[in-house]
Amino acid sequence: MEHDRSRESPSREGTSLPGEWPSSALGQSFSQILHRLTSQESRRGKGKSAAVQDLGALIEATERDQFFEGSGTSLHGMPEVLGQVAKALEKYAAPPKEQEGRGHGYSEVAEKAAAVGLVFLKLLGKFEAAKNSLVCPKWKTGLRDLAGPIYIFAVTHSLEQPWTSPRSHDVAGEVLALLLQVTECGSVAGFLHGENEDEKGRFILIMELLKPDLNKESWKNNPATKHVFSWTLQQVSRPWLNQHLERILPPSLLISDDYQTENKILGVHCLRHIVLNVPAADLLQYNRAQVLYHALFNHLYTPEYCLIQAVLSCLLDLFPVLEKGLHWKGGGARPTTHCDEVLQLILTHMEPEHRLLLRRTYARNLPVFVKRLGILTVRHLKRLERVIIGYLEVYDGPEEEARLKTLETLKLLMQYTWPRVSCRRVVLLKALLKLICDVARDPNLTPEPVKSALLEEATDCLILLDHCCQGQVKGLLVKILQSCEDSKVVNCIRKVQQVSEGTPYDGT
């Protein structure tokens, strides 16, 4: 069952009033097919499928010059009719609401898309042929109304989605390639923002076509709209994106604020692209950066590791923007930053977390936060110490990503906060030795390359710890070396002892 979409404009579509559309026989034929495509009566039957077939036959039988009758001379010439037909075809092939499109419904969409794609290929072929004929440059005017709907159709069905099939996917890809060829664009990015400075591009046109389906009430009517918006947004980068900020920011925030994790992640990816490709001055204007920050921060309470990863990546890119105007003038403690706030929340979540995927996600991002804060990480030292010790104790699977990233965090922490490390030497030494012993005695759970990486990272941490404690760790390791019989543990301890107290070490 198909669903009425808000981009439809029934007041004009489906009509062929005298004087409104071209009075030629060809114009009347297209108007009649447009009426069949938009008629409410033919929704449940095979009338629209037959109309698509008739349209393909009509395009094939029509001479290319006839498509440009009335272009630039009358308000509604052939190009305008073709534009309305293209919109109707795009809606006809669009997927239904998600709850209406399970199973058989999506297979029907793929069949419709393949049929519509063939019609678009025939139509674009006529325009391609017209480029070398005497009607040029009228073909450019005629393409103006066609390009937007055809682009939306092509992107909708060329992405890997439930409503596509190998056949519809291939046909849509051909349509997009031919559209770029006809418009003389070398890439989708060039099609959207223009191939040169003088060319306007079609990004605004696409956004205006998508706009009715990107408000709070309608954005779920067509499940493809959010993907078309996201994919189109990702194609436009600096320096073209900032001029469209008012068009792209609200839909991105709307999608990210959904209750479905899939939509949240899609919206966050859109927001990150905006953060990376819009100048900081534009993001700071009207408090936009703060709006972005609070929208992202709220997602950190969600126990979905994929979403957490997307949000943390976006926040790390947003921090330089938020902190651009902050300057410490001395004479007092430095003010806490947004990075401090996020790290504090992450550490709160990390301590009791037992789900491995979330533990890995948190541990993966921890070194980046320590690097960003630098010496200011000392504010979080006590909690970081508890998290590091706790994460080093727990086996994390064959890849041991969480423990490897935790060791990397510990190395960075000792480098930035070395004056505070000496008083923690016993606690950290016990945790590192326990890890080395556990890994050395692990019979077969962990692959040898991963074991070697863990032992090497742990040994580097012991060397750094010894440097931070002015050689006191070596003295504590002497008795262990005398009583230990495990060769791997002994090798790690000897490596620590072989590094003399005054020798520079590349890890510091």
Side-chain angles (χ1 to χ4, degrees):
M1 185 176 75
E2 293 185 38
H3 183 80
D4 291 335
R5 271 170 263 282
S6 58
R7 290 208 299 272
E8 247 174 316
S9 301
S11 59
R12 285 189 180 266
E13 290 180 11
T15 63
S16 54
L17 299 176
E20 188 173 20
W21 299 116
S23 56
S24 66
L26 180 62
Q28 289 298 322
S29 298
F30 274 106
S31 297
Q32 289 170 9
I33 291 177
L34 175 61
H35 178 74
R36 290 164 62 189
L37 287 171
T38 57
S39 173
Q40 300 286 339
E41 298 173 2
S42 59
R43 280 190 180 277
R44 297 180 180 274
K46 297 183 179 179
K48 291 190 175 184
S49 177
V52 172
Q53 293 178 1
D54 293 345
L55 178 60
L58 178 62
I59 292 172
E60 203 165 358
T62 303
E63 293 293 330
R64 62 169 183 253
D65 292 3
Q66 292 181 268
F67 287 102
F68 308 100
E69 291 178 352
S71 180
T73 59
S74 64
L75 183 61
H76 288 283
M78 273 305 302
E80 286 74 13
V81 179
L82 291 175
Q84 294 296 332
V85 170
K87 287 181 181 179
L89 287 173
E90 184 268 316
K91 293 181 180 68
Y92 167 70
K97 275 188 175 181
E98 293 181 14
Q99 61 267 30
E100 298 173 2
R102 304 300 179 189
H104 182 61
Y106 278 158
S107 64
E108 286 184 353
V109 170
E111 293 173 7
K112 293 177 183 178
V116 169
L118 293 176
V119 173
F120 280 144
L121 286 173
K122 293 176 183 178
L123 186 57
L124 288 171
K126 298 290 184 180
F127 277 80
E128 178 65 17
K131 286 165 64 175
N132 301 319
S133 71
L134 296 175
V135 299
C136 188
K138 281 189 175 181
W139 67 270
K140 289 187 177 181
T141 307
L143 195 62
R144 181 186 57 205
D145 297 311
L146 279 174
I150 292 179
Y151 170 86
I152 292 174
F153 163 83
V155 175
T156 296
H157 299 282
S158 61
L159 301 175
E160 293 289 345
Q161 294 297 336
W163 54 81
T164 61
S165 67
R167 167 88 174 134
S168 65
H169 181 273
D170 292 342
V171 172
E174 292 177 24
V175 171
L176 184 58
L178 185 54
L179 177 63
L180 295 180
Q181 181 180 332
V182 172
T183 55
E184 300 178 330
C185 295
S187 64
V188 174
F191 173 84
L192 293 169
H193 60 61
E195 287 289 331
N196 51 63
E197 293 181 1
D198 299 329
E199 192 177 348
K200 190 176 181 181
R202 299 167 183 85
F203 187 79
I204 295 177
L205 169 66
I206 303 301
M207 289 297 112
E208 288 301 314
L209 288 172
L210 293 175
K211 185 177 180 180
D213 277 353
L214 282 175
N215 59 56
K216 190 174 182 180
E217 289 73 28
S218 66
W219 75 279
K220 288 195 173 183
N221 288 348
N222 181 348
T225 303
K226 61 191 177 188
H227 295 288
V228 175
F229 169 78
S230 173
W231 192 84
T232 301
L233 173 64
Q234 308 273 346
Q235 308 308 307
V236 182
S237 57
R238 290 176 183 260
W240 297 279
L241 197 61
N242 63 307
Q243 59 186 303
H244 307 294
L245 191 55
E246 292 298 331
R247 290 184 177 89
I248 60 178
L249 187 55
S252 300
L253 288 168
L254 176 66
I255 296 170
S256 71
D257 195 35
D258 191 47
Y259 68 93
Q260 291 179 305
T261 303
E262 169 196 354
N263 292 332
K264 289 179 180 179
I265 294 173
L266 187 68
V268 170
H269 285 159
C270 292
L271 294 176
R272 188 184 184 195
H273 185 77
I274 292 171
V275 170
L276 290 172
N277 290 280
V278 173
D282 291 315
L283 292 175
L284 290 171
Q285 193 176 25
Y286 305 123
N287 224 23
R288 293 186 185 111
Q290 287 291 342
V291 172
L292 285 170
Y293 172 73
H294 289 295
L296 292 166
F297 187 83
N298 290 335
H299 289 312
L300 292 176
Y301 293 95
T302 308
E304 299 288 343
Y305 74 97
C306 289
L307 177 59
I308 294 293
Q309 180 59 59
V311 170
L312 290 179
S313 299
C314 188
L315 281 170
L316 286 164
D317 292 324
L318 184 62
F319 289 150
V321 177
L322 291 166
E323 296 163 14
K324 197 173 184 66
L326 297 179
H327 298 287
W328 183 51
K329 298 178 181 179
R334 294 191 187 185
T336 56
T337 63
H338 297 89
C339 189
D340 284 301
E341 188 178 13
V342 173
L343 179 58
Q344 185 176 359
L345 182 63
I346 290 174
L347 294 174
T348 301
H349 289 166
M350 286 183 76
E351 281 193 74
E353 187 55 63
H354 63 278
R355 287 162 287 196
L356 288 179
L357 291 175
L358 267 173
R359 288 169 66 93
R360 289 171 192 158
T361 302
Y362 287 133
R364 187 184 306 128
N365 290 278
L366 207 52
V368 190
F369 278 87
V370 174
K371 282 181 183 177
R372 170 137 197 93
L373 286 173
I375 186 63
L376 296 180
T377 313
V378 73
R379 294 168 172 168
H380 310 276
L381 195 53
K382 289 184 179 179
R383 184 166 283 180
L384 272 167
E385 177 190 325
R386 294 198 300 268
V387 167
I388 288 170
I389 292 172
Y391 273 55
L392 290 180
E393 290 177 348
V394 180
Y395 172 72
D396 185 49
E399 300 299 322
E400 290 281 20
E401 183 183 2
R403 290 213 275 196
L404 283 170
K405 285 297 180 180
T406 302
L407 287 170
E408 182 183 345
T409 302
L410 178 57
K411 285 171 66 175
L412 290 168
L413 190 64
M414 288 191 289
Q415 291 174 32
Y416 288 120
T417 65
W418 60 267
R420 301 287 186 92
V421 172
S422 180
C423 60
R424 294 173 168 81
R425 65 181 180 277
V426 175
V427 175
L428 294 176
L429 179 60
K430 285 181 179 179
L432 290 169
L433 288 175
K434 184 177 185 302
L435 172 65
I436 291 173
C437 291
D438 289 345
V439 173
R441 295 170 184 173
D442 178 11
N444 51 21
L445 291 176
T446 308
E448 283 302 321
V450 178
K451 283 185 183 180
S452 300
L454 279 170
L455 292 174
E456 184 179 348
E457 288 293 312
T459 304
D460 289 345
C461 286
L462 283 175
I463 294 171
L464 268 173
L465 181 61
D466 183 61
H467 283 195
C468 292
C469 302
Q470 290 80 40
Q472 297 179 40
V473 171
K474 290 178 185 174
L476 296 173
L477 291 176
V478 171
K479 295 181 181 180
I480 298 175
L481 190 60
Q482 293 172 350
S483 59
C484 182
E485 298 179 356
D486 191 293
S487 60
K488 292 182 178 178
V489 177
V490 169
N491 286 338
C492 291
I493 294 175
R494 279 180 177 167
K495 185 176 179 181
V496 176
Q497 289 192 322
Q498 285 170 0
V499 179
S500 62
E501 195 170 11
T503 302
Y505 180 64
D506 59 2
T508 57

